Amino acid sequence: DIQMTQSPSSLSASVGDRVTITCRASQSISSYLNWYQQKVGKAPKVLIYAASSLQSGVPSRFSGSGSGTDFTLTISNLQPEDSATYYCQQSYRIPRKTFGQGTKVEVK
Amino acid sequence: EVQLVESGGGLVQPGGSLRLSCAASGFTFSDYSMNWVRQAPGKGLEWVSSISYSSTTIYYADSVKGRFTISRDNAYNSLYLQMDSLRDEDTAVYYCARDQSASGGFYYYFDYWGQGTPVTVSS
C-alpha cells in the first residue's frame, strides 16, 4: 500500500498568515493527490483534487502544488473559519485511496 | 442539492452484526461509484469499501475483507454496508461518500459526504 505522511501534525498561526502543510507519498503518485478539510464534528470536504485543481466553491486562498512524492497545501491569508484538520489522500492506487494522518490547524 | 444521509449505526457487542444504510438524493445515484469511509474516535480517515455504479466492481480494505459486505440498490437510491463479526477496532463514525472523476476519468476524489453514523463495538 502507498503510505501518505503529513507534516506537521499540528500548527498554530494567526489570522492573515500564510500556512503550508506538506504531504509525502511512499512512492510516486504523479498528481493523484487530493486535499480535504474536516471541521470538528463534521464530514470532510474536498478542497483540492489532482494536486492543484480547486474544487468549485472553495475560496481561492487555498492552493495545492506538487507532483511525484511531495505535495503542499497552502492557505494564504488564514481566516478564523480555517480552523480544522486537513488530510491528503492519494488516488493513484485505486480503490485503496489512502489518507495521510492529518494536520490540525489552529487559528490564534 | 446533493444529499447523503447515513443511518443504522449504534452499539453492538463484539462478534455482532450491523447494517448501515446511506440514502442518496439530488443526483442520479446510478451514475456514480460510492464508498464507505470510517473514522475511529480521535483518529484519521480510513477508506473501507467501494462499489461501482452497476455493482459489478467491489473492493474492500484488508481490515474488513471477509467481514463486511457493500451493496447498493439503484432503484431506491441507497447504499448499504453489512458488517458482521464486528471487533472493538471497528468502532468509528462511518461515512458514505460519492466518487467523482475529473479529466476524463483520470483523477478521482470524494466530492460529497454524508454526516456519518456512529458505530460502537463494546461488551
Side-chain angles (χ1 to χ4, degrees):
Chain A
D1 281 2
I2 299 175
Q3 308 301 319
M4 308 301 294
T5 304
Q6 291 181 231
S7 61
S9 296
S10 64
L11 65 89
S12 181
S14 299
V15 172
D17 282 354
R18 179 185 179 95
V19 165
T20 298
I21 299 168
T22 65
C23 177
R24 176 164 289 177
S26 59
Q27 67 179 77
S28 177
I29 59 171
S30 185
S31 297
Y32 295 89
L33 193 284
N34 308 317
W35 289 98
Y36 297 85
Q37 175 194 65
Q38 186 180 32
K39 297 185 178 181
V40 173
K42 301 293 187 181
K45 166 189 168 184
V46 65
L47 301 174
I48 302 286
Y49 63 92
S52 61
S53 295
L54 191 69
Q55 174 70 348
S56 176
V58 174
S60 58
R61 64 179 181 274
F62 292 93
S63 63
S65 64
S67 66
T69 59
D70 296 314
F71 302 87
T72 60
L73 173 70
T74 300
I75 310 173
S76 305
N77 189 22
L78 191 69
Q79 297 299 300
E81 59 266 31
D82 299 334
S83 287
T85 300
Y86 294 83
Y87 294 93
C88 63
Q89 178 201 37
Q90 65 83 19
S91 60
Y92 178 82
R93 189 63 56 80
I94 57 174
R96 293 172 178 82
K97 300 170 193 168
T98 47
F99 294 89
Q101 81 280 14
T103 295
K104 186 175 182 179
V105 173
E106 177 199 7
V107 181
K108 290 185 284 190
Chain B
E1 180 194 5
V2 172
Q3 282 199 318
L4 298 170
V5 180
E6 302 94 337
S7 61
L11 174 64
V12 61
Q13 292 187 337
S17 298
L18 214 52
R19 189 193 195 209
L20 306 184
S21 299
C22 171
S25 61
F27 66 102
T28 304
F29 181 68
S30 57
D31 284 349
Y32 291 86
S33 294
M34 297 294 295
N35 302 267
W36 288 99
V37 177
R38 68 183 180 183
Q39 186 170 37
K43 302 297 184 182
L45 301 167
E46 179 189 15
W47 169 81
V48 172
S49 182
S50 66
I51 185 168
S52 63
Y53 66 95
S54 60
S55 304
T56 52
T57 305
I58 287 174
Y59 297 103
Y60 299 98
D62 289 343
S63 56
V64 306
K65 196 177 297 183
R67 300 187 298 119
F68 289 12
T69 303
I70 191 172
S71 62
R72 64 190 296 163
D73 189 333
N74 289 341
Y76 289 92
N77 295 330
S78 293
L79 175 72
Y80 306 101
L81 187 67
Q82 176 67 40
M83 303 187 297
D84 298 319
S85 302
L86 282 162
R87 305 167 179 168
D88 291 351
E89 55 265 34
D90 296 318
T91 293
V93 174
Y94 285 74
Y95 297 99
C96 64
R98 189 178 84 167
D99 242 349
Q100 181 60 270
S101 66
S103 299
F106 281 97
Y107 299 100
Y108 285 88
Y109 57 100
F110 301 153
D111 66 340
Y112 285 96
W113 300 62
Q115 84 290 349
T117 187
V119 172
T120 302
V121 184
S122 175
S123 54

